[in-house]
């Protein structure tokens, strides 16, 4: 990446705002707090603002207690935007992914920097570091710190955040986005103080019994469409209530059907307050992103994408099933 322009902007102490996408995931929070901890060491004034809240299993990272939630603390978020010289947009590629926070960010005159790995970035930042081949935005933040010549400044706090984001965006280092160099970065982060098993436990081993039972329920309800190598899970608002749904409880459920032999496309529909939230995962060449973008107002990566529908849960399911025949060839290649 050409970092000279950014490096010169950061050569004096700045007021910096870091933000990330709505419903932040591990990479969103990891990259935001990894960069936050680094920029603090560089003597900047830094605030992380998320468009809304995020699950408890992401609330352990160093700096988490300073994160401002735009939905809960709109006035502080507004002040942070108003004060900012520089705004970092991490792990998203279009302003719409900020949902309600997007108006404030887009109206700001601050210098904007995108660091992201989603396909097809919109042109809304002054500098766009977009590398869809990267495993995660965390990996890009690591590379940015190294290209500033500050590798030796990576302390335990920074290392833990970056480790967590690479781990969650690669489903624990197993996706094809994991390159040999990503493993080298992970090794270095461990040398910098990230304790691997503690991070895995903090993210993956903090289920409530209800959350695990909800997972069991979803897997029980899974439908398999053999002809299309596809699996579908739908969960209704009533089901979620029955299992005392908390933010984050459905995270990762979409990945399970991919462990069924032959399944190359897994889709998860969850009935939320106003709309149906959808997750798509694929293996190989079938583009979950293109499918999400074409039919379900979404986007993301080739093998991991999301979207939504304003139809009812059963109508959205029927639409999905009706679309499968048109993809039969791609799903069988
Ligand atoms: P998830 O299924 O975990 O919510 O999202 C999977 C991937 O798709 C993530 O990289 C996420 O950023 C992206 N994604 C999820 N929902 C949307 C959406 O509504 N629009 C776009 N453009 N990307 C999404
Ligand atoms: Mn990501």
């Amino acid at each position: 990446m050409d970092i000279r322009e950014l490096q010169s902007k950061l050569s004096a102490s700045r007021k910096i705002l870091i933000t990330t996408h709505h419903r932040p995931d591990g990479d969103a929070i990891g990259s935001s707090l990894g960069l936050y901890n680094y920029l603090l060491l560089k003597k900047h004034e830094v605030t992380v603002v998320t468009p809304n809240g995020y699950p408890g299993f992401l609330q352990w990272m160093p700096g988490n207690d300073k994160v401002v939630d735009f939905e809960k603390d709109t006035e502080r978020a507004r002040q942070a935007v108003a004060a900012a010289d520089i705004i970092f947009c991490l792990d998203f590629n279009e302003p719409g992914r900020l949902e309600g926070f997007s108006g404030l960010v887009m109206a700001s005159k601050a210098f904007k920097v995108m660091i992201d790995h989603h396909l097809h970035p919109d042109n809304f930042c002054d500098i766009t570091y977009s590398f869809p081949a990267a495993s995660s935005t965390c990996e890009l933040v690591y590379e940015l710190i190294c290209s500033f010549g500050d590798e030796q400044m990576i302390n335990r706090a920074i290392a833990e955040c970056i480790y967590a984001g690479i781990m969650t965006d690669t489903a624990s280092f197993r996706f094809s986005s994991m390159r040999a160099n990503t493993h080298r970065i992970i090794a270095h982060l461990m040398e910098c103080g990230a304790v691997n098993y503690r991070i895995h436990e903090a993210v993956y081993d903090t289920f409530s019994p209800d959350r695990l039972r909800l997972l069991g329920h979803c897997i029980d309800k899974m439908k398999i469409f053999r002809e299309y190598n596809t699996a579908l899970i739908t969960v209704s608002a009533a089901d979620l209530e029955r299992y005392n749904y908390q933010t984050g409880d459905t995270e990762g459920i979409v990945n399970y059907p991919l462990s069924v032999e032959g399944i190359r496309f897994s889709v998860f529909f969850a009935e939320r307050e106003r709309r149906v939230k959808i997750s798509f995962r694929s293996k190989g060449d079938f583009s979950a992103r293109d499918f999400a973008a074409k039919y379900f107002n979404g986007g993301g990566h080739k093998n991991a994408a999301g979207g939504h529908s304003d139809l009812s849960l059963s109508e959205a399911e029927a639409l999905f099933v009706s679309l499968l025949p048109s993809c039969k060839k791609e799903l069988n290649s």
Side-chain angles (χ1 to χ4, degrees):
M1 28 174 113
D2 177 13
I3 45 105
R4 275 162 298 185
E5 189 182 1
L6 181 57
Q7 200 162 20
S8 80
K9 290 253 173 228
L10 293 172
S11 59
S13 174
R14 302 286 183 194
K15 291 196 173 67
I16 296 174
L17 181 117
I18 298 172
T19 191
T20 188
H21 59 81
H22 180 78
R23 296 183 71 247
D25 59 7
D27 191 30
I29 299 300
S31 59
S32 296
L33 287 174
L35 184 64
Y36 167 85
N37 284 299
Y38 165 71
L39 291 172
L40 282 186
L41 286 181
K42 300 288 280 185
K43 310 282 182 231
H44 299 287
E45 241 178 80
V46 198
T47 309
V48 175
V49 178
T50 58
N52 68 343
Y54 48 93
F57 61 80
L58 297 177
Q59 291 179 16
W60 54 270
M61 290 181 224
N64 181 73
D65 54 334
K66 300 283 193 310
V67 174
V68 176
D69 172 349
F70 164 77
E71 265 183 10
K72 272 205 186 131
D73 209 343
T74 308
E75 193 41 45
R76 270 181 67 209
R78 189 186 301 279
Q79 285 164 10
V81 175
D85 305 313
I86 301 175
I87 297 180
F88 280 93
C89 297
L90 300 189
D91 201 38
F92 68 99
N93 59 356
E94 42 172 313
R97 297 284 287 138
L98 291 171
E99 300 257 331
F101 188 41
S102 117
L104 276 179
V105 170
M106 294 312 289
S108 159
K109 296 273 189 295
F111 188 82
K112 298 191 187 77
V113 183
M114 182 203 299
I115 305 178
D116 181 52
H117 68 135
H118 293 88
L119 294 160
H120 313 305
D122 272 9
N123 187 16
F124 69 99
C125 288
D126 298 283
I127 299 183
T128 299
Y129 296 124
S130 167
F131 297 92
S135 69
S136 53
T137 300
C138 274
E139 181 172 344
L140 296 172
V141 167
Y142 175 92
E143 280 175 359
L144 186 73
I145 295 173
C146 293
S147 28
F148 285 152
D150 285 337
E151 204 172 314
Q152 79 299 339
M153 287 180 77
I154 299 179
N155 59 15
R156 180 173 169 168
I158 299 170
E160 286 180 337
C161 298
I162 294 178
Y163 186 108
I166 297 177
M167 177 186 87
T168 51
D169 255 28
T170 60
S172 299
F173 320 121
R174 58 159 290 186
F175 285 166
S176 58
S177 57
M178 234 8 242
R179 293 165 297 174
N181 195 48
T182 325
H183 283 288
R184 279 184 208 106
I185 293 171
I186 287 296
H188 183 227
L189 295 171
M190 288 175 71
E191 286 159 1
C192 294
V195 180
N196 59 335
Y197 64 89
R198 280 209 209 117
I199 297 174
H200 285 257
E201 282 175 19
V203 173
Y204 296 122
D205 297 346
T206 53
F207 277 47
S208 64
D210 274 338
R211 181 177 172 191
L212 198 59
R213 290 197 176 94
L214 172 65
L215 170 64
H217 171 79
C218 287
I219 288 176
D220 201 39
K221 280 187 64 185
M222 172 182 69
K223 291 179 185 158
I224 299 279
F225 301 86
R226 272 287 166 212
E227 218 182 323
Y228 309 109
N229 298 320
T230 292
L232 170 69
I233 293 174
T234 61
V235 63
S236 68
D239 285 339
L240 293 173
E241 201 181 317
R242 179 168 148 221
Y243 291 97
N244 188 28
Y245 172 79
Q246 308 292 312
T247 305
D249 279 0
T250 53
E251 216 65 28
I253 294 179
V254 65
N255 294 313
Y256 284 89
L258 289 178
S259 59
V260 175
E261 192 176 10
I263 295 300
R264 310 197 67 70
F265 189 32
S266 170
V267 183
F268 177 75
F269 283 55
E271 188 180 25
R272 294 277 152 72
E273 296 106 59
R274 279 163 292 128
R275 51 170 58 164
V276 179
K277 161 78 183 109
I278 312 168
S279 288
F280 303 91
R281 299 291 184 272
S282 67
K283 275 183 180 169
D285 272 346
F286 183 75
S287 174
R289 191 218 84 93
D290 290 352
F291 190 90
K294 198 164 168 191
Y295 302 116
F296 289 101
N297 314 295
H301 310 282
K302 184 171 155 199
N303 295 134
H308 68 266
S309 171
D310 294 321
L311 297 171
S312 72
L313 184 62
S314 56
E315 286 167 345
E317 176 176 351
L319 170 63
F320 173 74
V321 173
S322 77
L323 292 167
L324 287 175
S326 64
C327 306
K328 186 171 179 180
K329 221 165 128 201
E330 286 170 275
L331 288 165
N332 279 283
S333 60

